[in-house]
Amino acid sequence: MSLAIVAGTLAFAASATTPEAVGAAADSAWVLRQLARPAPMRTAFVELRDSPLLKAPLRISGEYRRPDATTLVREVQSPYAETTTIRAGQATIARGARSRSFSLARAPELEGLQASFGALLAGDRSTLERHYRLEATGTRQHWILTLVPRDAALAAKVRDIVLHGRGAELRCIETNPVRGSEVQRTLLASAARAAEGVDEGRALAALCNAD
């Protein structure tokens, strides 16, 4: 399951950035205020997965939905159909008529992500900082927020999660593993729309950091 599944709920349409704020430095408190969004919400995504076992990066597209404050749905539409639902400490993965469920307690890294995604959507910096060390760079027009896990179980698998955004729009999530060099990128909002019809790996990766 994608480690970006929780962070991926944070995509939404950009709001206007005033001219005087364009060059202002971004800080984590400001970024979190921009990311705060109530349920219900939904957004398209394009995910790029690379691996030495693949001849070319795997391009996955679909939609994230947050129908209420306690439920997260990740629907993959291409190149296969799969729906993952996280609710009440349980994850359910369905493919066609087949489905399987398991407790998030069996996956501490996902449990930690689930605990923190509510803080992200609420703009709750103090709660989020209990789970991650936060570092914001760039300007309010083009910012980067890096989340470094404090939890040992998650930190053993994920070095950091890097969010790229413009103003109030989260455009891309990069999940950097502790081992290996296969960065997982999830394009969101306008970046996902710009990726329509784009299949070349480098071109998709470039959209993550596009100005």
Side-chain angles (χ1 to χ4, degrees), residues 34-202:
Q34 309 313 302
L35 298 186
R37 288 295 188 281
M41 59 181 294
R42 63 199 303 161
T43 185
F45 75 87
V46 174
E47 187 175 292
L48 189 66
R49 294 186 184 179
D50 202 357
S51 168
L53 301 177
L54 299 174
K55 293 182 179 179
L58 179 63
R59 186 184 193 276
I60 299 171
S61 61
E63 183 180 65
Y64 283 107
R65 297 193 300 274
R66 188 170 176 253
D68 56 61
T70 61
T71 304
L72 172 64
V73 179
R74 177 179 184 266
E75 181 183 358
V76 176
Q77 298 166 348
S78 178
Y80 55 86
E82 178 184 270
T83 300
T84 301
T85 303
I86 294 180
R87 181 190 297 116
Q90 294 280 324
T92 299
I93 302 175
R95 282 196 178 192
R98 300 175 58 187
S99 68
R100 63 185 180 92
S101 299
F102 59 90
S103 169
L104 291 182
R106 290 172 46 195
E109 68 278 9
L110 289 180
E111 189 172 35
L113 286 172
Q114 185 195 37
S116 59
F117 93 93
L120 279 166
L121 293 174
D124 186 346
R125 181 180 179 181
S126 62
T127 297
L128 192 64
E129 286 185 329
R130 290 203 295 267
H131 296 278
Y132 298 94
R133 296 194 303 275
L134 308 181
E135 179 183 358
T137 58
T139 68
R140 293 184 178 184
Q141 181 65 15
H142 298 106
W143 51 263
I144 296 173
L145 181 64
T146 302
L147 287 66
V148 180
R150 296 182 186 275
D151 178 75
L154 181 57
K157 296 186 176 183
V158 177
R159 186 175 74 247
D160 56 35
I161 299 172
V162 183
L163 312 182
H164 298 260
R166 293 179 181 170
E169 180 189 54
L170 175 61
R171 288 174 50 82
C172 181
I173 302 162
E174 293 180 318
T175 302
N176 296 294
V178 170
R179 298 178 181 84
S181 58
E182 295 79 33
V183 177
Q184 180 177 305
R185 292 182 177 88
T186 301
L187 306 181
L188 305 158
S190 64
R193 293 191 294 272
E196 186 175 356
V198 178
D199 294 308
E200 200 275 319
R202 289 184 179 179

